[in-house]
Amino acid sequence: MSIFGNIFGDGSKRVFDKYVDLVSQINGLESQFAALSDEALRAKTQEFRERLTKDETLDDLLPEVFAAVREAAKRTIGQRHYDVQLIGGMVLHEGKIAEMKTGEGKTLAATLAIYLNALEGKGVHVVTVNDYLAKRDCNWMGPIYKALGLSVASIQHEKAFLYEPKIIDKDEVTVEMQNLVEVPRAKAYQADITYGTNSEFGFDYLRDNMVDDLSQTVQRGHRFAIVDEVDSILIDEARTPLIISAPDTESTKLYETFSRVVRYLKENADYNLDEKMRTATLTEEGIEKVEKMLGLGNIYTEGGVKYVHHLEQALRAETLFKRDKDYVVKDGEVLIVDEFTGRLMPGRRYSEGLHQALEAREGVKVQRESRTFASVTFQNYFRIYKKLAGMTGTAYTSAEEFSKVYNLEVVQVPTNQPMIRVDISDSVYRTERGKFQAVVREIKKLHEAGQPVLVGTASIERNEILGALLQREGIPHEILNAKNHEREAQIIARAGQKGAVTIATNMAGRGVDIILGGRSESIDEDPEWQKNHDEIVKLGGLRIVGTERHEARRIDNQLRGRAGRQGDPGSSQFFISLEDDLMRIFAPDRIKRLMEVLQVPEDQPIENKMISRAIESAQAKIEGFHFDSRKHVLEYDDVMNKHRETIYRKRREILEAMSAGEVLTTVSVEKEDGDTEELFEKEISLQKQVWQMIENEVRRIVEFHTAEAYRDGWNFEEIFEALNTIYPVSKEARDEMKNKKTREELTDYLVSLARSAYEQKEKQVGAERMRQVEKYVYLRTIDMFWMDHLDEMDHLRDSVRLRAYGQKDPLVEYKNEGHRLFQQLLEAIKTSFVATIYKVQVAPAGNDQQPIINGQRPTTDGQSTAANKNMSAARQPLGMPKKVGRNDPCPCGSGKKYKRCHGA
């Protein structure tokens, strides 16, 4: 245990002693749990749960629980948790980030914390970086949980699976998916443990907050989550929000037009390119050229904001985004490539028309631009969980960000065996061609010696260039990138064989270790494998060759971390050229001048401390820039997050009140001065709340038109016209209004008319069906105005940037304006609901007793068939309003044009 002291340090001795003491307790229980039968081991789960109900805590149970999981793992998958894996499990249980090096068995270590927290019966989410790992880990670790009597499931893109063992083969090392049975998504979330990707968990959260009935929800809360490759998910992807949208009605022709136009523009003449800031800016000459090609006198006045927007996005697509690096074209679609993992991201699209601009550039079908229904950043989604933990091999360099954004502490867990990998100094070349020549020579030398080589590239394009060079030299190799990720497991399984050469894009989150000698059906009993393994160890183990430095040091470390697993030998070296993107954009000019003065041959390496410092400085600059960018996104999204939580909480309360007959609770929103404001009163049912909104609307109208102190100044005609747009007011009632002496008398009279009209409507429809109509209209009204609010907040965010020129803080302006817009949203929802509820036409129900509302019958899941036809069922929530034109009939049923009614 002395090695642990060096890792945790003297300042953390108390924490270290606690971990060591718990490890000793767990080891002391090992023989006791080994003596249990399979049935007795499974019965431990029920015993643990009963003890939790008797004032014992999860911390109290930890030693016995960990001993039970270790024993279950030995019996089912033939793996025993190392002591350091026990520590990793403790760190995860504490809601911290466990930094465990590649090959240390994070997946197995996580089972300890997962099982312990699953005992509460509130569900544990295990978040992975891709669908493959979500299925693989569920199937791989499933036997452990099954042996202990827990259920485990996996959610995928549009599918969900439950672990149901059909074949149990302890000797099987290559993990297949034969034990996963497809089930409804809600059932997967009902399992004790659910594996899935960050995107799927996030999208399900958004969809659950857009349903029309509680039966449509799938998630059951956010109690505890463990995030695998936590730095990739919570940092690298934090700038990209999850967005649920549907196609807008606008034509796609403009994208194709502007895509053709920008191809004739020339850099430094028609536009200026800044690769550091990733911006492309048109010059006056460029704008004039575009206007001439389009036949416009002034694009700003004749084309307006729309034309300028299309032009800017087309220019960005043409100049800043590279095919086979930022995206690939596959099966007629433009698919984004994750810059950190090298994987394709199906279902994800660039926003603000950029994706459509790329589609136009590549000549594939341009999808319509979308309108946002709901969105959330990963940062705010994962902060919903009561307890959050993570694991990765490279977290410590980002410890500050984890602490500030997520309140997560990073703990470095020691390796089971000492790390003996050798990291060789970088080789720097003047040109990219010279660098690749040197890389090929190095690979050829290592291959001929029989040493396995893993070559890391930063893009698919470089991946394929290097593959072509190796093919020319007759060097057999495997290529792993987003285009052939289906064979990922097989390629990595062979990457440790003698003489193997594997070229891969970024290795983050591959989830499979490279074993020296290759993978075998039964490593412990295969003499041939042992012979190969020993031979490769003598050759120096796995050699890592990096062909380019990544923007983030963590990604470089992830590539290096593939060598030296579990005490194996290994080595790593990066080959860099001054033409690499990182050096070309960020390296100081003095280095480039030095290379020219020295006249160094392009294939001759240079080792210079100044160059090494420049590389580290460039990476630090970029990491700082991205940190600021993520912080900027979060600060703005925190404002929207308060709005989102309030609206989602309100929707949930409406659904719960309808399904269980419960009362609605108070909803509060933080005001600018830090106080909270109650938006909805306590202890009122949905029906009573409807009444209150109607009464408040009547009072508002009366107060507005009776502002004069004297009765002679009251505008009875305006009161009559305003109320008549809400509910029918007879001429006799209009005459009676004029007889009321005080404002209170007038208000009470008009409220009684409103109640009478509503009671008459409810009598015709029926009380039960009227409650359905109230829910349906209320939810539709909230959703419609929430969509508009999302658009308004997007526009506001763009506009407040200009206020910096007036010496105003854009963020403060965004908060103040956003608060005002949100208050307007809440009032608009109430006003619109009152104006709509009287006008809803409810036809007699059929045999299923479902009312037909405004000509639409809600489907069995509570959504209208009309909405079903206008949404893509796979990714979009149903029941949302279609986009309404200004001159179309208003959907409230008033008979007026939209612009004269709610559009006003």
Short mmCIF file of all heavy atoms in Angstrom, two decimals, residues 759-801:
data_model
loop_
_atom_site.label_atom_id
_atom_site.label_comp_id
_atom_site.label_asym_id
_atom_site.label_seq_id
_atom_site.Cartn_x
_atom_site.Cartn_y
_atom_site.Cartn_z
N GLU A 759 -69.65 27.28 -17.49
CA GLU A 759 -70.44 26.17 -16.96
C GLU A 759 -71.36 25.59 -18.02
O GLU A 759 -71.58 24.38 -18.09
CB GLU A 759 -71.25 26.65 -15.75
CG GLU A 759 -70.39 26.89 -14.52
CD GLU A 759 -71.19 27.49 -13.38
OE1 GLU A 759 -72.34 27.96 -13.64
OE2 GLU A 759 -70.69 27.50 -12.24
N GLN A 760 -71.89 26.48 -18.88
CA GLN A 760 -72.74 26.02 -19.96
C GLN A 760 -71.96 25.15 -20.94
O GLN A 760 -72.44 24.11 -21.38
CB GLN A 760 -73.34 27.23 -20.69
CG GLN A 760 -74.30 26.89 -21.82
CD GLN A 760 -75.55 26.16 -21.32
OE1 GLN A 760 -75.99 26.36 -20.18
NE2 GLN A 760 -76.12 25.31 -22.18
N LYS A 761 -70.72 25.57 -21.24
CA LYS A 761 -69.88 24.80 -22.15
C LYS A 761 -69.53 23.45 -21.53
O LYS A 761 -69.57 22.42 -22.19
CB LYS A 761 -68.60 25.59 -22.47
CG LYS A 761 -67.73 24.97 -23.56
CD LYS A 761 -66.53 25.84 -23.88
CE LYS A 761 -65.79 25.31 -25.09
NZ LYS A 761 -66.55 25.42 -26.33
N GLU A 762 -69.20 23.48 -20.25
CA GLU A 762 -68.83 22.23 -19.57
C GLU A 762 -70.03 21.28 -19.50
O GLU A 762 -69.88 20.06 -19.61
CB GLU A 762 -68.32 22.55 -18.16
CG GLU A 762 -67.85 21.31 -17.40
CD GLU A 762 -67.17 21.66 -16.10
OE1 GLU A 762 -66.37 22.61 -16.09
OE2 GLU A 762 -67.45 20.98 -15.09
N LYS A 763 -71.22 21.84 -19.36
CA LYS A 763 -72.43 21.01 -19.30
C LYS A 763 -72.64 20.30 -20.62
O LYS A 763 -73.06 19.13 -20.67
CB LYS A 763 -73.63 21.89 -18.95
CG LYS A 763 -74.89 21.13 -18.63
CD LYS A 763 -75.97 22.09 -18.17
CE LYS A 763 -77.25 21.35 -17.80
NZ LYS A 763 -78.32 22.27 -17.37
N GLN A 764 -72.37 21.00 -21.72
CA GLN A 764 -72.54 20.41 -23.05
C GLN A 764 -71.50 19.31 -23.29
O GLN A 764 -71.81 18.26 -23.87
CB GLN A 764 -72.40 21.48 -24.13
CG GLN A 764 -73.50 22.53 -24.10
CD GLN A 764 -73.20 23.68 -25.07
OE1 GLN A 764 -72.10 23.76 -25.62
NE2 GLN A 764 -74.19 24.54 -25.26
N VAL A 765 -70.28 19.54 -22.86
CA VAL A 765 -69.17 18.62 -23.15
C VAL A 765 -69.12 17.47 -22.16
O VAL A 765 -68.81 16.34 -22.52
CB VAL A 765 -67.83 19.40 -23.15
CG1 VAL A 765 -66.65 18.46 -23.32
CG2 VAL A 765 -67.84 20.45 -24.25
N GLY A 766 -69.39 17.77 -20.90
CA GLY A 766 -69.20 16.78 -19.84
C GLY A 766 -67.98 17.14 -19.03
O GLY A 766 -66.95 17.54 -19.57
N ALA A 767 -68.07 16.99 -17.71
CA ALA A 767 -67.00 17.44 -16.82
C ALA A 767 -65.68 16.72 -17.10
O ALA A 767 -64.62 17.33 -17.18
CB ALA A 767 -67.42 17.24 -15.37
N GLU A 768 -65.73 15.39 -17.26
CA GLU A 768 -64.49 14.62 -17.46
C GLU A 768 -63.80 15.00 -18.76
O GLU A 768 -62.58 15.20 -18.80
CB GLU A 768 -64.81 13.13 -17.44
CG GLU A 768 -63.57 12.26 -17.54
CD GLU A 768 -63.89 10.78 -17.44
OE1 GLU A 768 -65.04 10.44 -17.04
OE2 GLU A 768 -63.02 9.97 -17.77
N ARG A 769 -64.61 15.13 -19.81
CA ARG A 769 -64.01 15.49 -21.10
C ARG A 769 -63.54 16.93 -21.10
O ARG A 769 -62.57 17.29 -21.78
CB ARG A 769 -65.03 15.25 -22.22
CG ARG A 769 -65.31 13.76 -22.44
CD ARG A 769 -66.48 13.55 -23.35
NE ARG A 769 -66.23 14.05 -24.68
CZ ARG A 769 -67.20 14.43 -25.52
NH1 ARG A 769 -68.46 14.38 -25.14
NH2 ARG A 769 -66.90 14.86 -26.72
N MET A 770 -64.20 17.80 -20.31
CA MET A 770 -63.76 19.19 -20.23
C MET A 770 -62.38 19.28 -19.58
O MET A 770 -61.56 20.11 -19.95
CB MET A 770 -64.76 20.02 -19.43
CG MET A 770 -64.57 21.51 -19.63
SD MET A 770 -64.87 22.00 -21.36
CE MET A 770 -64.19 23.66 -21.37
N ARG A 771 -62.11 18.38 -18.60
CA ARG A 771 -60.78 18.36 -18.00
C ARG A 771 -59.72 17.97 -19.03
O ARG A 771 -58.61 18.51 -19.05
CB ARG A 771 -60.72 17.38 -16.83
CG ARG A 771 -61.69 17.62 -15.67
CD ARG A 771 -61.39 18.89 -14.89
NE ARG A 771 -61.93 20.09 -15.49
CZ ARG A 771 -63.22 20.45 -15.44
NH1 ARG A 771 -64.12 19.70 -14.82
NH2 ARG A 771 -63.61 21.58 -16.01
N GLN A 772 -60.08 17.05 -19.93
CA GLN A 772 -59.15 16.66 -21.00
C GLN A 772 -58.88 17.85 -21.92
O GLN A 772 -57.74 18.08 -22.34
CB GLN A 772 -59.72 15.50 -21.81
CG GLN A 772 -59.76 14.17 -21.07
CD GLN A 772 -60.33 13.08 -21.96
OE1 GLN A 772 -61.29 13.28 -22.69
NE2 GLN A 772 -59.73 11.91 -21.89
N VAL A 773 -59.95 18.57 -22.24
CA VAL A 773 -59.80 19.73 -23.13
C VAL A 773 -58.92 20.78 -22.47
O VAL A 773 -58.03 21.37 -23.11
CB VAL A 773 -61.18 20.32 -23.48
CG1 VAL A 773 -61.03 21.64 -24.22
CG2 VAL A 773 -61.99 19.32 -24.30
N GLU A 774 -59.14 21.05 -21.18
CA GLU A 774 -58.32 22.03 -20.46
C GLU A 774 -56.84 21.65 -20.51
O GLU A 774 -55.98 22.49 -20.78
CB GLU A 774 -58.79 22.13 -19.00
CG GLU A 774 -60.14 22.80 -18.84
CD GLU A 774 -60.71 22.61 -17.46
OE1 GLU A 774 -60.14 21.81 -16.68
OE2 GLU A 774 -61.74 23.24 -17.15
N LYS A 775 -56.58 20.38 -20.24
CA LYS A 775 -55.18 19.92 -20.28
C LYS A 775 -54.60 20.09 -21.66
O LYS A 775 -53.49 20.61 -21.83
CB LYS A 775 -55.10 18.46 -19.84
CG LYS A 775 -53.67 17.91 -19.82
CD LYS A 775 -53.63 16.40 -19.74
CE LYS A 775 -53.90 15.76 -21.08
NZ LYS A 775 -53.55 14.32 -21.12
N TYR A 776 -55.34 19.66 -22.66
CA TYR A 776 -54.86 19.69 -24.05
C TYR A 776 -54.56 21.13 -24.47
O TYR A 776 -53.48 21.42 -25.00
CB TYR A 776 -55.93 19.07 -24.95
CG TYR A 776 -55.60 19.06 -26.42
CD1 TYR A 776 -54.81 18.05 -26.95
CD2 TYR A 776 -56.09 20.03 -27.27
CE1 TYR A 776 -54.51 18.02 -28.31
CE2 TYR A 776 -55.81 20.02 -28.63
CZ TYR A 776 -55.02 19.00 -29.14
OH TYR A 776 -54.73 18.98 -30.48
N VAL A 777 -55.48 22.03 -24.21
CA VAL A 777 -55.30 23.43 -24.63
C VAL A 777 -54.18 24.09 -23.84
O VAL A 777 -53.36 24.83 -24.38
CB VAL A 777 -56.62 24.21 -24.47
CG1 VAL A 777 -56.40 25.69 -24.74
CG2 VAL A 777 -57.68 23.64 -25.40
N TYR A 778 -54.15 23.81 -22.53
CA TYR A 778 -53.13 24.41 -21.68
C TYR A 778 -51.72 24.00 -22.14
O TYR A 778 -50.82 24.83 -22.30
CB TYR A 778 -53.36 23.98 -20.23
CG TYR A 778 -52.80 24.93 -19.19
CD1 TYR A 778 -53.16 24.81 -17.85
CD2 TYR A 778 -51.92 25.96 -19.53
CE1 TYR A 778 -52.67 25.67 -16.89
CE2 TYR A 778 -51.43 26.83 -18.58
CZ TYR A 778 -51.80 26.67 -17.26
OH TYR A 778 -51.30 27.53 -16.31
N LEU A 779 -51.53 22.69 -22.37
CA LEU A 779 -50.21 22.21 -22.79
C LEU A 779 -49.84 22.75 -24.17
O LEU A 779 -48.69 23.14 -24.40
CB LEU A 779 -50.19 20.68 -22.80
CG LEU A 779 -50.29 20.00 -21.44
CD1 LEU A 779 -50.32 18.48 -21.61
CD2 LEU A 779 -49.12 20.39 -20.54
N ARG A 780 -50.79 22.77 -25.07
CA ARG A 780 -50.50 23.28 -26.42
C ARG A 780 -50.13 24.76 -26.36
O ARG A 780 -49.24 25.22 -27.09
CB ARG A 780 -51.72 23.09 -27.33
CG ARG A 780 -52.10 21.65 -27.61
CD ARG A 780 -51.32 21.09 -28.75
NE ARG A 780 -51.63 21.74 -30.01
CZ ARG A 780 -51.52 21.15 -31.19
NH1 ARG A 780 -51.11 19.91 -31.27
NH2 ARG A 780 -51.79 21.79 -32.29
N THR A 781 -50.82 25.50 -25.51
CA THR A 781 -50.52 26.93 -25.38
C THR A 781 -49.11 27.14 -24.83
O THR A 781 -48.34 27.96 -25.34
CB THR A 781 -51.54 27.61 -24.46
OG1 THR A 781 -52.86 27.37 -24.96
CG2 THR A 781 -51.31 29.10 -24.38
N ILE A 782 -48.78 26.39 -23.77
CA ILE A 782 -47.42 26.49 -23.20
C ILE A 782 -46.37 26.16 -24.25
O ILE A 782 -45.38 26.87 -24.42
CB ILE A 782 -47.29 25.55 -21.99
CG1 ILE A 782 -48.11 26.08 -20.82
CG2 ILE A 782 -45.82 25.39 -21.59
CD1 ILE A 782 -48.14 25.16 -19.62
N ASP A 783 -46.60 25.06 -24.98
CA ASP A 783 -45.60 24.62 -25.97
C ASP A 783 -45.43 25.63 -27.09
O ASP A 783 -44.31 25.90 -27.54
CB ASP A 783 -46.01 23.26 -26.55
CG ASP A 783 -45.92 22.14 -25.53
OD1 ASP A 783 -45.20 22.32 -24.53
OD2 ASP A 783 -46.56 21.10 -25.72
N MET A 784 -46.53 26.19 -27.56
CA MET A 784 -46.46 27.14 -28.66
C MET A 784 -45.68 28.39 -28.25
O MET A 784 -44.78 28.84 -28.97
CB MET A 784 -47.88 27.53 -29.11
CG MET A 784 -47.90 28.52 -30.28
SD MET A 784 -49.56 28.79 -30.91
CE MET A 784 -50.32 29.65 -29.53
N PHE A 785 -45.99 28.92 -27.08
CA PHE A 785 -45.30 30.13 -26.64
C PHE A 785 -43.86 29.84 -26.20
O PHE A 785 -42.99 30.70 -26.33
CB PHE A 785 -46.08 30.81 -25.51
CG PHE A 785 -47.24 31.62 -26.00
CD1 PHE A 785 -48.52 31.10 -26.01
CD2 PHE A 785 -47.06 32.91 -26.48
CE1 PHE A 785 -49.60 31.84 -26.47
CE2 PHE A 785 -48.12 33.66 -26.94
CZ PHE A 785 -49.39 33.12 -26.95
N TRP A 786 -43.60 28.64 -25.70
CA TRP A 786 -42.24 28.27 -25.33
C TRP A 786 -41.34 28.21 -26.57
O TRP A 786 -40.19 28.66 -26.54
CB TRP A 786 -42.24 26.94 -24.60
CG TRP A 786 -40.88 26.40 -24.26
CD1 TRP A 786 -40.31 25.25 -24.68
CD2 TRP A 786 -39.91 27.01 -23.39
NE1 TRP A 786 -39.06 25.09 -24.14
CE2 TRP A 786 -38.78 26.16 -23.35
CE3 TRP A 786 -39.88 28.20 -22.67
CZ2 TRP A 786 -37.64 26.46 -22.60
CZ3 TRP A 786 -38.74 28.50 -21.92
CH2 TRP A 786 -37.64 27.64 -21.89
N MET A 787 -41.86 27.68 -27.67
CA MET A 787 -41.09 27.65 -28.92
C MET A 787 -40.75 29.08 -29.38
O MET A 787 -39.62 29.37 -29.76
CB MET A 787 -41.89 26.94 -30.01
CG MET A 787 -41.97 25.43 -29.83
SD MET A 787 -43.26 24.71 -30.87
CE MET A 787 -42.73 25.25 -32.49
N ASP A 788 -41.74 29.96 -29.31
CA ASP A 788 -41.48 31.35 -29.68
C ASP A 788 -40.45 31.98 -28.75
O ASP A 788 -39.60 32.76 -29.18
CB ASP A 788 -42.78 32.16 -29.63
CG ASP A 788 -43.75 31.77 -30.75
OD1 ASP A 788 -43.27 31.21 -31.76
OD2 ASP A 788 -44.96 32.02 -30.61
N HIS A 789 -40.54 31.63 -27.47
CA HIS A 789 -39.60 32.18 -26.49
C HIS A 789 -38.17 31.73 -26.79
O HIS A 789 -37.22 32.51 -26.66
CB HIS A 789 -40.01 31.75 -25.08
CG HIS A 789 -39.18 32.35 -24.00
ND1 HIS A 789 -39.21 33.69 -23.68
CD2 HIS A 789 -38.27 31.79 -23.14
CE1 HIS A 789 -38.38 33.93 -22.68
NE2 HIS A 789 -37.78 32.80 -22.35
N LEU A 790 -38.00 30.47 -27.19
CA LEU A 790 -36.66 29.98 -27.55
C LEU A 790 -36.09 30.79 -28.71
O LEU A 790 -34.90 31.16 -28.70
CB LEU A 790 -36.73 28.50 -27.94
CG LEU A 790 -37.01 27.51 -26.80
CD1 LEU A 790 -37.20 26.10 -27.36
CD2 LEU A 790 -35.88 27.51 -25.79
N ASP A 791 -36.92 31.06 -29.71
CA ASP A 791 -36.46 31.87 -30.84
C ASP A 791 -36.10 33.28 -30.38
O ASP A 791 -35.08 33.85 -30.79
CB ASP A 791 -37.55 31.94 -31.92
CG ASP A 791 -37.74 30.59 -32.62
OD1 ASP A 791 -36.82 29.76 -32.55
OD2 ASP A 791 -38.81 30.40 -33.23
N GLU A 792 -36.95 33.87 -29.54
CA GLU A 792 -36.70 35.23 -29.07
C GLU A 792 -35.40 35.31 -28.28
O GLU A 792 -34.62 36.26 -28.42
CB GLU A 792 -37.86 35.70 -28.20
CG GLU A 792 -39.12 36.07 -28.97
CD GLU A 792 -40.17 36.67 -28.06
OE1 GLU A 792 -39.87 37.68 -27.39
OE2 GLU A 792 -41.28 36.12 -28.00
N MET A 793 -35.16 34.32 -27.43
CA MET A 793 -33.94 34.32 -26.63
C MET A 793 -32.70 34.14 -27.50
O MET A 793 -31.64 34.71 -27.21
CB MET A 793 -34.01 33.24 -25.56
CG MET A 793 -35.06 33.48 -24.49
SD MET A 793 -34.79 34.99 -23.51
CE MET A 793 -33.41 34.49 -22.50
N ASP A 794 -32.82 33.37 -28.58
CA ASP A 794 -31.71 33.23 -29.52
C ASP A 794 -31.40 34.57 -30.18
O ASP A 794 -30.24 34.97 -30.30
CB ASP A 794 -32.05 32.19 -30.60
CG ASP A 794 -31.79 30.78 -30.12
OD1 ASP A 794 -31.04 30.62 -29.13
OD2 ASP A 794 -32.31 29.83 -30.72
N HIS A 795 -32.45 35.25 -30.63
CA HIS A 795 -32.26 36.56 -31.26
C HIS A 795 -31.70 37.56 -30.25
O HIS A 795 -30.84 38.38 -30.59
CB HIS A 795 -33.58 37.07 -31.83
CG HIS A 795 -34.12 36.23 -32.94
ND1 HIS A 795 -33.32 35.70 -33.93
CD2 HIS A 795 -35.39 35.82 -33.23
CE1 HIS A 795 -34.08 35.01 -34.79
NE2 HIS A 795 -35.32 35.06 -34.38
N LEU A 796 -32.20 37.48 -29.02
CA LEU A 796 -31.71 38.39 -27.98
C LEU A 796 -30.23 38.17 -27.73
O LEU A 796 -29.45 39.13 -27.61
CB LEU A 796 -32.50 38.17 -26.68
CG LEU A 796 -32.01 38.95 -25.46
CD1 LEU A 796 -32.13 40.45 -25.70
CD2 LEU A 796 -32.80 38.53 -24.21
N ARG A 797 -29.82 36.92 -27.70
CA ARG A 797 -28.41 36.60 -27.44
C ARG A 797 -27.52 37.19 -28.53
O ARG A 797 -26.41 37.66 -28.26
CB ARG A 797 -28.24 35.09 -27.36
CG ARG A 797 -26.83 34.66 -27.03
CD ARG A 797 -26.78 33.19 -26.72
NE ARG A 797 -25.43 32.75 -26.50
CZ ARG A 797 -25.11 31.53 -26.10
NH1 ARG A 797 -26.06 30.64 -25.89
NH2 ARG A 797 -23.85 31.17 -25.91
N ASP A 798 -28.00 37.13 -29.76
CA ASP A 798 -27.22 37.71 -30.86
C ASP A 798 -27.16 39.24 -30.76
O ASP A 798 -26.13 39.85 -31.03
CB ASP A 798 -27.83 37.31 -32.21
CG ASP A 798 -27.64 35.83 -32.50
OD1 ASP A 798 -26.69 35.23 -31.95
OD2 ASP A 798 -28.45 35.26 -33.26
N SER A 799 -28.27 39.84 -30.36
CA SER A 799 -28.36 41.30 -30.39
C SER A 799 -27.61 41.96 -29.23
O SER A 799 -27.08 43.07 -29.38
CB SER A 799 -29.82 41.74 -30.37
OG SER A 799 -30.44 41.39 -29.15
N VAL A 800 -27.56 41.30 -28.05
CA VAL A 800 -26.94 41.96 -26.90
C VAL A 800 -25.43 42.12 -27.07
O VAL A 800 -24.81 42.93 -26.36
CB VAL A 800 -27.23 41.21 -25.57
CG1 VAL A 800 -28.70 41.26 -25.23
CG2 VAL A 800 -26.71 39.78 -25.62
N ARG A 801 -24.83 41.36 -27.98
CA ARG A 801 -23.39 41.49 -28.20
C ARG A 801 -23.02 42.92 -28.61
O ARG A 801 -21.96 43.43 -28.26
CB ARG A 801 -22.92 40.51 -29.27
CG ARG A 801 -23.10 39.05 -28.89
CD ARG A 801 -22.83 38.15 -30.07
NE ARG A 801 -23.17 36.75 -29.78
CZ ARG A 801 -23.28 35.81 -30.70
NH1 ARG A 801 -23.07 36.11 -31.97
NH2 ARG A 801 -23.58 34.57 -30.37
#
